[in-house]
Amino acid sequence: MRLDPRTKLYMVFVVSLIVMMSATTPFLWAIRLSITLIPIILMILEKKYSSALKFLLAYASALVLTFYFLSEQSEGLIASLLIGYCGIVVQFMPAIITAWYVVRTTKIGEFMSCMQKMHVPDGIAVSLAVVMRFFPTIKEEYSSINDAMRMRGVMLGGGNVLRMFEFRMIPLLFSCVNIGEELSAAAITRGLGGENKRSSLIELKLGLADYLLMAFLTASTVIFVVYKYLL
Amino acid sequence: MENKSKKLKAKDFITVGIFAAILFAVEFAFGMLGYIHPYIVASYVIILPLASGIPMMLFYTKVEKFGMITILSILLAIIMFIGGMGYLGAPLIIGAGVIADLIAKSGQYKSFKKIVISFGIFNLWICANYFPILVTAESYRQDLIDGGFSAEYANNLFAAINVKTIGILVVLCFVFGCIGAVIGKAVVKKHFEKAGIV
């Protein structure tokens, strides 16, 4: 199933909104959970089983821990670390899952054409597309740097925090800058930044699934806000 | 590079995008630490400017036209919103970006003094993320506790970040921004200028 990028962006927006307003009653939790499940189900539909399972397990375990083992009164080191972990997972995981889903399943071409349709200024659209494309690259480069250091026998920079940071940051910046140069060369060859309006190979059309999902997301947001603030 | 046109080109946008991604990666790596103890959340004003000094100084060497720092702040605001930080801080983040851009512009993006001040101002985006904690203090506290944090965490967080301390945090943020800029510049000089990258 292919969703329109506009629907995906709307989903990111809605999930971020709901993540921001925290759930206080079981009913609100139910809405939050269903909102979190949507990207996971979509991942399964896109055949990304392992990531779907990973996210599901992480989120479920954090939920169980939070509600059955930790309470407002929990104190002590292990408890506070756990609270920290569960807090971040429970609070922000939905947004992370959604963002991950969107980044992984949206082609840059689709994204650009969608931005053009929504009349987003070129500058913001191009920069955002680069950001989207760049997160996986940073991760990749970072792990190659780690590999290279391990090969040379450099572990953690000899315990010196500053050097630890420097040894990773500088090569990362070097490769990012180089990749950036190549990226701009490639983009300019393809006519990015020209005077004319660009056309796109990908025709964007909202399908039935898009309308249904958008309606569902809107409805959940409205219900969430009404129940949280007005009742 | 000798192109003196004032309009931003595709290449500039790509540069901005790359540095926004790097900046966010740095922010994210250190941001995770905040869940260990709320005091670390408050100390972001010290950690983040120092850590992001290096990539940002490299970024400043690539800035030649007005708008790049502004767009960077807009991207940060969007990413922060998606990351669940809320929309309250967004205008402040962008505001800090525009002012930083104007200051750097007044030095033609070359004057190091102006760049240091500009980076100090730019760092106020970190404080902008505290904004929701201040404005919606009571409900935010309740939200944290309902959201799975312990009362202890919430109390410590509000002990560290409240209306009284925010002034100090803003000043610290600016000061460490300037220090971060100086350190970052030194590192960029040590590694990148020698290698001929900038």
Side-chain angles (χ1 to χ4, degrees):
Chain A
M1 185 180 66
R2 289 232 66 86
L3 283 175
D4 191 281
R6 279 167 288 181
T7 316
K8 291 180 185 168
L9 289 181
Y10 187 62
M11 189 163 77
V12 169
F13 179 74
V14 165
V15 172
S16 305
L17 264 185
I18 290 191
V19 161
M20 217 169 57
M21 308 176 283
S22 77
T24 42
T25 62
F27 180 68
L28 292 178
W29 268 108
I31 296 182
R32 234 183 121 121
L33 285 182
S34 60
I35 286 277
T36 316
L37 280 176
I38 293 176
I40 294 183
I41 294 169
L42 288 172
M43 271 184 214
I44 295 172
L45 287 177
E46 300 256 3
K47 298 198 174 57
K48 303 212 180 287
Y49 301 114
S50 66
S51 354
L53 193 67
K54 248 189 276 169
F55 280 129
L56 197 60
L57 280 182
Y59 194 64
S61 60
L63 274 183
V64 170
L65 275 175
T66 308
F67 282 105
Y68 291 100
F69 297 108
L70 302 170
S71 67
E72 283 181 32
Q73 280 78 40
S74 304
E75 279 172 28
L77 184 67
I78 296 176
S80 76
L81 282 179
L82 263 183
I83 287 171
Y85 168 76
C86 295
I88 191 174
V89 170
V90 171
Q91 200 70 24
F92 294 113
M93 196 67 157
I96 295 172
I97 296 174
T98 318
W100 193 94
Y101 164 74
V102 172
V103 168
R104 273 306 157 94
T105 59
T106 311
K107 293 202 190 74
I108 294 296
E110 281 178 349
F111 179 78
M112 287 303 290
S113 140
C114 150
M115 284 279 148
Q116 217 167 28
K117 271 216 163 145
M118 297 196 309
H119 302 285
V120 174
D122 241 17
I124 307 234
V126 174
S127 322
L128 260 184
V130 173
V131 172
M132 258 178 66
R133 185 199 166 283
F134 228 69
F135 282 131
T137 314
I138 289 184
K139 214 177 139 203
E140 238 169 70
E141 293 297 323
Y142 183 75
S143 67
S144 346
I145 289 165
N146 263 340
D147 283 349
M149 292 210 306
R150 212 166 300 139
M151 225 156 22
R152 295 282 307 271
V154 185
M155 296 292 190
L156 296 169
N160 185 332
V161 181
L162 283 180
R163 298 186 72 184
M164 230 167 93
F165 183 67
E166 191 187 358
F167 286 176
R168 286 172 175 79
M169 190 67 164
I170 304 298
L172 189 68
L173 282 176
F174 261 105
S175 50
C176 286
V177 168
N178 284 340
I179 294 169
E181 300 276 320
E182 282 160 25
L183 197 62
S184 7
I188 290 164
T189 327
R190 289 173 194 178
L192 193 68
E195 297 292 307
N196 296 336
K197 192 175 178 297
R198 272 167 299 120
S199 58
S200 178
L201 247 179
I202 300 147
E203 276 291 326
L204 291 179
K205 243 185 116 189
L206 292 168
L208 181 64
D210 293 304
Y211 286 118
L212 283 179
L213 188 55
M214 279 198 203
F216 178 76
L217 290 170
T218 315
S220 343
T221 320
V222 171
I223 294 171
F224 198 99
V225 170
V226 167
Y227 268 81
K228 187 169 162 71
Y229 293 106
L230 302 179
L231 289 181
Chain B
M1 277 297 163
E2 289 311 305
N3 194 343
K4 283 286 165 220
S5 112
K6 286 280 174 226
K7 251 186 101 186
L8 292 169
K9 290 263 164 54
K11 191 176 158 37
D12 301 321
F13 297 138
I14 291 171
T15 310
V16 175
I18 288 166
F19 280 94
I22 294 173
L23 209 54
F24 179 69
V26 171
E27 202 272 342
F28 191 71
F30 286 97
M32 286 297 169
L33 295 176
Y35 290 87
I36 299 170
H37 200 278
Y39 289 157
I40 299 181
V41 175
S43 68
Y44 285 167
V45 293
I46 297 171
I47 302 171
L48 286 179
L50 292 181
S52 62
I54 304 170
M56 280 305 284
M57 281 307 111
L58 192 58
F59 176 67
Y60 272 104
T61 63
K62 302 204 170 276
V63 175
E64 286 164 336
K65 298 163 210 163
F66 182 74
M68 286 174 80
I69 302 169
T70 309
I71 295 177
L72 186 68
S73 66
I74 294 174
L75 290 184
L76 276 177
I78 294 175
I79 298 172
M80 285 297 125
F81 173 77
I82 293 172
M85 291 298 167
Y87 52 82
L88 284 174
L92 294 178
I93 297 179
I94 297 170
V98 173
I99 296 170
D101 212 346
L102 286 171
I103 292 173
K105 185 174 190 278
S106 70
Q108 265 81 43
Y109 300 100
K110 291 278 183 290
S111 149
F112 182 58
K113 257 185 226 154
K114 293 275 169 62
I115 288 178
V116 169
I117 297 171
S118 160
F119 182 57
I121 300 277
F122 184 82
N123 270 308
L124 298 183
W125 74 270
I126 299 165
C127 291
N129 289 325
Y130 298 146
F131 195 56
I133 304 180
L134 296 177
V135 180
T136 58
E138 243 342 281
S139 65
Y140 197 90
R141 190 184 128 83
Q142 199 50 45
D143 280 359
L144 274 179
I145 293 174
D146 294 330
F149 287 96
S150 69
E152 191 194 359
Y153 186 98
N155 288 338
N156 280 334
L157 183 67
F158 284 100
I161 302 169
N162 56 47
V163 187
K164 282 175 207 137
T165 57
I166 190 70
I168 305 168
L169 290 175
V170 168
V171 172
L172 272 180
C173 198
F174 179 76
V175 170
F176 277 90
C178 297
I179 298 174
V182 174
I183 296 175
K185 185 76 188 168
V187 173
V188 167
K189 214 173 205 148
K190 178 179 166 200
H191 291 285
F192 293 90
E193 283 177 14
K194 264 191 211 157
I197 293 267
V198 276

